[in-house]
Amino acid sequence: MKLTGHLLYLDITQICGIGCAFCMYADKHKNGKNMELTDNAKNNLRVLINSPDVKRISISGEGEPLNNVSVFHEILNLSEGGKSFEFITSGFFPHKLLEEFYINTNNIVQSNGDTCNIRLSSDYYHIEKIVHKPHAFSIEYWLKNNPSNLTLSFRSIDIDRDFTRKYLLDGLNNLSIKSEIKEKGVLEDQLIIDNKYFGIDYKNLVKPTHVETSEYLNIYGYIDAIEKKTGKRFTLGSMNKHPLDNGMDITVKPSGDIYFYGIENIEIGNINHDIISWKHLQKLANDTPLIKSLYTMPFLDLIEKIKDDDFAVKLIEQANNPYWIVKEIAHHDGFIERMIAP
């Protein structure tokens, strides 16, 4: 199983005071912790980040990553250059502090020869809770300052597509900035201002039981959209467009625990205590039947094997996201075994 073009997700905090209704990690926020980097953790991350097979290092959290900016900047400084970083945030800082964050981040990635995309959450749930709205302010900052090594994009959810479009356009109109939004596909739009382009990505709604509308992408529509976008059948792991091979998709929690993303019933190490390398992770992917099956077999073919069980069907519908489906069914005896059986 050849794997390349890996994703490295670093969840650097569990701390969050925003309180979105849909949050899957709300139970961790009350006693949440920030990631702290030991010397061993830095050594491991330096190896993982600087591999030529890594396509992106994504920094987010089981909370709001702006609550741990110092560790984010420590992580950026582990790069030896030529890397693509991403920082996913609500952008809740007061505008002056947010501007300072942009300046400091750009200075680091510029000095290292890296890039970093700032992805602002632009769904109704986040925007409703944020006092200092960062979206129009950030776009205006980009237009005026054109930070050399930073890009800006937005992320939302499928049921908020109309809301997100109107919110962004109205915010820019209030600043007398002419803009338009063009649809690029089921899961993406493009915000256009003169000759500058800002991407808007849409995810499907995880566990949509709290919403009144049924007009969200179900798991089958969501995977169909991903397959059309990538030109290949959907598997877990890092999806690269056809004809490229897929890669590993690794997540590191604030505690340092490491998992293959979405397969969190199998802990594979800890960056603070173990020695971690992509070669070691590749061997685990090859030798672990569940990981190998999820990385090589089309996901819809796997869940088809358990659709004769009404309870399994209910779990699939309620989770409504391939990574969360695996998390849910792993708690119930027999489903995983049936999915990966020849």
Side-chain angles (χ1 to χ4, degrees):
M1 179 173 58
K2 183 180 179 182
L3 297 168
T4 189
H6 310 317
L7 284 180
L8 178 62
Y9 283 97
L10 303 177
D11 287 337
I12 63 173
T13 188
Q14 293 172 328
I15 297 172
C16 187
I18 296 173
C20 296
F22 74 91
C23 184
M24 297 294 101
Y25 300 109
D27 60 317
K28 300 183 179 184
H29 294 166
K30 184 176 181 181
N31 298 306
K33 63 178 294 183
N34 276 332
M35 177 182 283
E36 297 178 5
L37 297 183
T38 62
D39 288 342
N40 196 67
K42 291 177 183 178
N43 290 334
N44 279 319
L45 290 179
R46 189 176 287 110
V47 168
L48 295 176
I49 287 169
N50 291 300
S51 167
D53 285 332
V54 173
K55 70 176 181 183
R56 187 167 76 250
I57 303 99
S58 184
I59 289 84
S60 185
E62 294 177 332
E64 166 51 58
L66 282 176
N67 288 311
N68 200 7
V69 168
S70 60
V71 161
F72 169 51
H73 286 164
E74 279 188 83
I75 290 167
L76 291 180
N77 277 313
L78 297 175
S79 171
E80 295 169 1
K83 291 302 169 184
S84 177
F85 289 88
E86 173 183 65
F87 188 80
I88 303 172
T89 176
S90 68
F92 78 95
F93 275 1
H95 290 173
K96 182 61 177 175
L97 286 179
L98 191 61
E99 180 178 358
E100 291 176 4
F101 169 73
Y102 291 154
I103 292 169
N104 293 336
T105 300
N106 186 63
N107 287 340
I108 295 171
V109 293
Q110 183 183 43
S111 65
N112 289 342
D114 295 322
T115 61
C116 183
N117 176 242
I118 307 295
R119 294 183 71 196
L120 290 177
S121 296
S122 307
D123 54 81
Y124 168 79
Y125 300 95
H126 282 91
I127 290 170
E128 179 192 36
K129 299 285 186 177
I130 298 170
V131 175
H132 308 284
K133 307 295 192 251
H135 306 82
F137 167 81
S138 295
I139 296 170
E140 185 178 44
Y141 174 83
W142 249 257
L143 296 174
K144 288 181 177 179
N145 298 280
N146 193 28
S148 58
N149 292 58
L150 296 186
T151 56
L152 178 68
S153 68
F154 305 93
R155 67 197 298 260
S156 186
I157 52 178
D158 56 316
I159 61 169
D160 275 1
R161 192 162 194 156
D162 289 340
F163 168 84
T164 298
R165 289 169 170 172
K166 185 177 186 305
Y167 170 78
L168 292 175
L169 292 174
D170 286 350
L172 291 169
N173 186 58
N174 290 337
L175 296 175
S176 299
I177 298 173
K178 293 182 179 180
S179 60
E180 63 175 324
I181 289 178
K182 288 188 177 180
E183 181 175 327
K184 290 194 66 181
V186 176
L187 299 177
E188 53 185 335
D189 283 341
Q190 205 166 53
L191 174 66
I192 305 170
I193 304 169
D194 295 328
N195 62 342
K196 295 187 181 296
Y197 300 85
F198 302 88
I200 309 171
D201 293 320
Y202 299 93
K203 303 294 183 182
N204 77 325
L205 194 59
V206 178
K207 290 191 173 183
T209 53
H210 65 281
V211 301
E212 296 180 4
T213 180
S214 61
E215 296 178 359
Y216 53 81
L217 281 172
N218 63 24
I219 186 65
Y220 306 100
Y222 185 55
I223 289 179
D224 178 67
I226 295 173
E227 291 181 343
K228 288 177 179 175
K229 183 178 178 180
T230 58
K232 61 170 72 171
R233 297 293 305 278
F234 174 82
T235 66
L236 259 64
S238 172
M239 287 292 289
N240 300 314
K241 288 186 177 181
H242 176 80
L244 298 176
D245 294 316
N246 288 341
M248 284 179 274
D249 200 341
I250 301 298
T251 182
V252 182
K253 299 298 184 181
S255 63
D257 291 338
I258 311 169
Y259 302 89
F260 284 84
Y261 184 63
I263 314 175
E264 295 183 16
N265 57 313
I266 303 176
E267 183 181 325
I268 56 177
N270 186 289
I271 60 170
N272 297 305
H273 313 304
D274 303 312
I275 304 300
I276 307 296
S277 70
W278 288 111
K279 183 178 179 180
H280 165 70
L281 296 171
Q282 170 83 65
K283 188 175 188 307
L284 281 174
N286 282 327
D287 295 347
T288 308
L290 174 59
I291 300 171
K292 188 171 184 178
S293 295
L294 289 170
Y295 271 36
T296 59
M297 299 295 293
F299 189 77
L300 291 181
D301 291 354
L302 293 176
I303 61 174
E304 186 70 24
K305 296 180 180 181
I306 59 174
K307 283 181 64 179
D308 60 345
D309 187 296
D310 290 341
F311 182 64
V313 170
K314 186 176 181 181
L315 285 177
I316 291 167
E317 291 175 347
Q318 288 179 339
N320 198 44
N321 178 282
Y323 302 95
W324 282 88
I325 287 171
V326 175
K327 291 181 183 182
E328 294 294 331
I329 65 175
H331 295 302
H332 302 277
D333 292 339
F335 290 149
I336 289 286
E337 291 76 11
R338 286 183 59 194
M339 277 178 56
I340 67 175

